[in-house]
């Protein structure tokens, strides 16, 4: 099975099971490595909705938001990183 097939299978699973936080956490880094930063951010947001915020999930979301804006740290990204730091204390 190639990566595109695997991604398609996971996407189909998540379309049917949007509350699968683990599935979102599996697909998000694949999107990041593929340069699909907006999709990665949406996947991390879905993982946070399904599984709750954690320092790692929030930091990964912040990274995706920064990459989606070509390296610009938006107010959303900054707030996400700050929330990650608060949870990590």
């Amino acid at each position: 099975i190639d990566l595109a097939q695997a991604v398609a299978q996971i996407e189909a699973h998540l379309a049917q099971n949007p509350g699968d936080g683990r599935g979102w956490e599996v697909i998000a880094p694949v999107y990041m490595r593929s340069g699909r930063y907006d999709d990665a951010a949406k996947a991390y947001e879905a993982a946070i909705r399904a599984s709750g915020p954690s320092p790692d999930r929030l930091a990964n979301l912040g990274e995706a938001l920064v990459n989606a804006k070509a390296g610009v740290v938006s107010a959303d990204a900054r707030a996400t990183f700050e929330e990650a730091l608060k949870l990590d204390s």
Side-chain angles (χ1 to χ4, degrees):
I1 192 166
D2 70 1
L3 182 62
Q5 268 184 307
V7 167
Q9 283 181 345
I10 295 168
E11 288 172 339
H13 167 79
L14 290 169
Q16 298 296 315
N17 304 279
D20 180 0
R22 185 75 192 112
W24 291 113
E25 286 191 72
V26 166
I27 197 77
V30 176
Y31 288 151
M32 285 289 286
R33 284 192 295 277
S34 302
R36 294 173 61 182
Y37 304 122
D38 286 325
D39 288 332
K42 289 176 186 150
Y44 284 122
E45 288 167 347
I48 290 166
R49 273 194 307 277
S51 302
S54 74
D56 283 345
R57 283 185 203 109
L58 290 163
N60 288 331
L61 171 57
E63 187 179 339
L65 292 170
V66 169
N67 280 309
K69 297 256 189 258
V72 174
V73 180
S74 65
D76 283 351
R78 185 179 314 282
T80 301
F81 287 128
E82 288 171 359
E83 189 179 345
L85 286 172
K86 269 189 245 167
L87 286 179
D88 202 26
S89 58

